[in-house]
Amino acid sequence: MNSTKFFSKEVKIALAAIASIVILFFGMEFLKGQKLFSSNVSYNVRFNDISGLASASPIFANGYKVGVVERIHFDYNNPEEVVATIGLDKQLKLPKGTRAEISSDMLGNVQLQLLFGSDFSRCLAPGDTIEGTMRMGVMTKAAAMLPQIEQMLPKLDSILASVNALMADPALSGSLHNVDRITASLTTTTQQLNRLTTSLNREVPQMLQHADGTLSNTEQLTQKLNSLDLSQTMQRVDATLASVERLTTQLSSREGTLGLLMHDASLYNDITSTMRDVDSLLVDFKLHPRRYINVSVFGRKEK
């Protein structure tokens, strides 16, 4: 067969169409993030809810991209379970207990995060199933808070109404004026305290000098007290106490004049009677002195 006839216009068109289809297929796979000649190994991840995860979604481990989601399998007989097949770099080893977590950023881009297990001595084999979970992003948390915010809105309205009523109350203006006066008073008090502090700073050195003088006098007094003969002084005190004790003993006994005066009532009565007689005698002497004194005038004695 002639080669010129074999590569006719129709054959060339067919070969160009086949090449376009092949290029389109591999281009679509490349745009999905899958390598044309991939050396990735596949694992299965089981989810209850994939929440936007799709084929070609990136997979990260500690912030580094290690693969992509190859395809999603939805089991219509068991709709509570969705299995995603992921392709990871064959150099990446997954220890037992590794989990996959779906997360999304502020722009809504969904990605898969690998959370490594702690047992690196045992690794998962390609084709094993990994448990998948969902991380609550900022938007998800905000959506979960919406019912609570709706319940708080009436309370916020009442609080704002109360605040407006409070701001419109004339008493608030009076209170603010009082606060201004109090602030002015505090300023004045602060100035007075500053002046008092300045005065104290001037007077404290003098006070300290007086205190030093007082301490010196106290020290001199202490030295004088130490120089006293305490033993001799105590002997004198003991002698005085002994004299007082003897006097007390004499007063308590019935011997001696003081003792008799303290205990003998008759002696006291006699002395009292004698004193009355002497008093009467003195009175009579003052009234009739001639009875007791003889005065001779011109040699004559008057009786």
Side-chain angles (χ1 to χ4, degrees):
M1 181 182 294
N2 193 349
S3 60
T4 304
K5 292 182 179 180
F6 180 78
F7 287 103
S8 62
K9 184 183 291 186
E10 290 80 3
V11 174
K12 291 180 180 179
I13 293 173
L15 292 176
I18 293 172
S20 300
I21 293 172
V22 172
I23 293 172
L24 179 62
F25 173 77
F26 285 106
M28 293 294 295
E29 292 296 319
F30 179 77
L31 292 175
K32 290 180 181 180
Q34 298 180 2
K35 296 180 180 179
L36 299 182
F37 302 99
S38 176
S39 60
N40 290 348
V41 292
S42 299
Y43 296 89
N44 295 321
V45 184
R46 183 170 50 229
F47 295 98
N48 293 328
D49 185 0
I50 60 173
S51 295
L53 187 68
S55 298
S57 295
I59 302 173
F60 293 90
N62 297 331
Y64 183 77
K65 183 178 179 181
V66 294
V68 294
V69 177
E70 294 180 347
R71 53 186 175 275
I72 305 293
H73 305 280
F74 183 78
D75 190 355
Y76 290 93
N77 296 322
N78 185 14
E80 295 183 356
E81 185 175 291
V82 182
V83 178
T85 301
I86 60 175
L88 302 177
D89 193 323
K90 65 179 181 180
Q91 297 181 359
L92 180 65
K93 303 299 181 183
L94 300 181
K96 289 284 187 180
T98 299
R99 296 182 296 108
E101 187 178 70
I102 298 174
S103 62
S104 60
D105 55 17
M106 293 294 294
L107 299 177
N109 298 320
V110 179
Q111 58 189 13
L112 198 63
Q113 297 284 347
L114 291 179
L115 305 177
F116 294 119
S118 58
D119 189 3
F120 282 89
S121 62
R122 295 183 302 164
C123 295
L124 297 174
D128 286 348
T129 301
I130 303 172
E131 292 297 327
T133 58
M134 174 69 67
R135 178 192 294 178
M136 292 185 65
V138 176
M139 300 303 296
T140 305
K141 294 179 180 179
M145 293 175 61
L146 285 177
Q148 299 178 358
I149 295 174
E150 291 178 355
Q151 293 178 0
M152 292 174 60
L153 287 177
K155 297 181 179 178
L156 289 175
D157 291 338
S158 61
I159 291 172
L160 290 175
S162 300
V163 171
N164 291 331
L166 179 62
M167 295 299 294
D169 192 353
L172 181 61
S173 300
S175 299
L176 293 177
H177 290 303
N178 292 332
V179 170
D180 292 337
R181 288 196 294 270
I182 292 171
T183 304
S185 299
L186 289 175
T187 303
T188 304
T189 304
T190 303
Q191 294 175 355
Q192 293 175 356
L193 287 175
N194 291 333
R195 289 195 294 270
L196 178 60
T197 303
T198 305
S199 176
L200 288 175
N201 290 333
R202 291 196 303 266
E203 294 179 0
V204 163
Q206 298 178 0
M207 295 172 63
L208 291 176
Q209 292 178 358
H210 291 307
D212 292 337
T214 304
L215 291 175
S216 300
N217 294 333
T218 303
E219 184 177 0
Q220 293 176 2
L221 177 61
T222 304
Q223 292 176 357
K224 290 180 180 180
L225 290 174
N226 292 330
S227 63
L228 291 176
D229 190 355
L230 294 179
S231 60
Q232 184 178 1
T233 303
M234 293 304 298
Q235 290 177 359
R236 293 178 180 176
V237 171
D238 292 338
T240 303
L241 291 176
S243 299
V244 172
E245 185 178 1
R246 287 194 299 272
L247 177 61
T248 304
T249 303
Q250 291 177 0
L251 291 175
S252 300
S253 65
R254 293 181 179 275
E255 298 178 357
T257 305
L258 293 177
L260 291 175
L261 286 174
M262 293 292 293
H263 297 89
D264 193 352
S266 60
L267 179 59
Y268 172 76
N269 294 330
D270 292 340
I271 292 175
T272 303
S273 177
T274 303
M275 293 300 295
R276 283 199 299 268
D277 293 340
V278 171
D279 184 63
S280 299
L281 178 60
L282 290 174
V283 171
D284 186 66
F285 179 77
K286 290 179 179 180
L287 295 176
H288 309 285
R290 294 183 178 182
R291 293 180 180 178
Y292 305 96
I293 300 175
N294 294 324
V295 180
S296 178
V297 180
F298 303 107
R300 178 178 141 181
K301 182 188 264 187
E302 182 181 354
K303 294 183 181 179

